[in-house]
């Protein structure tokens, strides 16, 4: 995750490509992830419903191919955003015939891992990414408020049920910015806009850590599901392949 590295220096983090790469990765999921979810859900549901007919059998093969292609799209996004090269490992079809293709593809654990990411985790990842991006972009808009506050109307963050007012209202304004019970910051002049920009800039820099951490979490989940599972005996097997401490005392061919 070299492109999503967290730096201790807030200014260094803000000037690094990490926040912008994180924002692009999360925003891309809101668009691409939604499209992939709709495509996979529609095709797999149709294939399962029609699987009891002859028409559904080719659809099952096509659905498996589409799932692999959609998972490949997410792997490509991981490579662009994080610099990680993630590849799936699918079982090859070794027997001829349509039924052999169906059984091989739909009994492949990698295909089900792809479905877990594309369908099962879509809702929680979408909610998380949307919430974090909304806060980050809102703070970014606050930083630029001196340039546009005078054109704002009915811009409220908080509770502002009454009428229309120029400027930006942050807080609770049940009867307008000058009415009774008003509590918060009402931005209707350049000094208050500069104050808001300073507050938002500090919060924006700090919240960039949350943004990058969210992108790293999302990428870690995607990587864990979209790549082949690691062999738990990998280290033991590698140890057995290495020559042991007594190998130099054993003649060649007798080990």
């Amino acid at each position: 995750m070299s492109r999503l590295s967290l730096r201790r220096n807030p200014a260094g983090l803000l000037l690094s490509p990490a926040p912008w790469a994180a924002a692009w990765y999360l925003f891309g999921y809101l668009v691409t992830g939604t499209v992939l979810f709709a495509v996979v859900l529609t095709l797999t549901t149709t294939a399962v419903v029609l699987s009891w007919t002859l028409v559904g059998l080719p659809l099952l093969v096509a659905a498996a191919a589409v799932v692999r292609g959609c998972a490949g799209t997410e792997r490509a996004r991981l490579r662009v955003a994080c610099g990680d090269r993630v590849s799936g490992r699918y079982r090859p079809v070794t027997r001829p015939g349509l039924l052999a293709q169906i059984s091989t593809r739909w009994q492949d654990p990698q295909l089900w891992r792809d479905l877990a990411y594309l369908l099962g985790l879509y809702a929680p990842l979408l909610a998380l990414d949307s919430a974090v991006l909304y806060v980050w972009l809102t703070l970014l808009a606050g930083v630029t408020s001196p340039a546009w506050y005078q054109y704002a109307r009915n811009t409220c963050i908080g509770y502002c049920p009454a009428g229309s007012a120029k400027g930006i209202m942050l807080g609770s304004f049940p009867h307008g910015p000058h009415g009774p019970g008003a509590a918060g910051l009402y931005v209707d002049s350049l000094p208050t806009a500069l104050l808001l920009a300073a507050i938002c800039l500090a919060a924006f820099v700090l919240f960039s850590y949350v943004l990058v951490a969210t992108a790293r979490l999302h990428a870690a989940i995607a990587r864990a599901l979209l790549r082949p599972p690691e062999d738990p005996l990998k280290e033991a097997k590698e140890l057995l392949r290495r020559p042991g401490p007594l190998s130099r005392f054993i003649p060649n061919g007798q080990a």
Side-chain angles (χ1 to χ4, degrees), residues 66-162:
V66 169
V67 171
R68 292 177 59 170
C70 292
T73 301
E74 282 297 302
R75 294 186 185 101
R77 285 200 333 108
L78 267 176
R79 182 166 56 252
V80 172
C82 310
D84 296 345
R85 294 189 175 274
V86 178
S87 60
R89 184 186 304 152
Y90 298 93
R91 292 179 178 176
V93 180
T94 57
R95 294 174 297 158
L98 186 62
L99 293 179
Q101 289 196 41
I102 295 173
S103 61
T104 301
R105 296 183 188 277
W106 285 98
Q107 290 178 6
D108 189 346
Q110 183 62 63
L111 187 72
W112 289 99
R113 292 163 67 89
D114 295 345
L115 284 172
Y117 176 77
L118 295 170
L119 297 183
L121 292 178
Y122 169 73
L125 289 177
L126 182 72
L128 176 64
D129 295 356
S130 300
V132 171
L133 270 178
Y134 174 79
V135 175
W136 189 75
L137 291 175
T138 300
L139 293 173
L140 180 59
V143 174
T144 63
S145 59
W148 57 268
Y149 78 94
Q150 54 189 335
Y151 306 107
R153 179 176 290 273
N154 296 329
T155 303
C156 173
I157 299 178
Y159 178 65
C160 314

Side-chain angles (χ1 to χ4, degrees), residues 219-243:
I221 294 173
R223 188 186 306 105
L225 289 174
L226 297 179
R227 70 180 179 186
E230 294 185 0
D231 186 357
L233 301 178
K234 180 180 178 180
E235 294 184 2
K237 292 178 179 179
E238 290 181 354
L239 183 62
L240 292 175
R241 294 193 196 102
R242 299 173 185 171

Side-chain angles (χ1 to χ4, degrees), residues 212-223:
V212 176
T214 302
R216 288 171 63 91
L217 174 63
H218 188 143
I221 294 173
R223 188 186 306 105

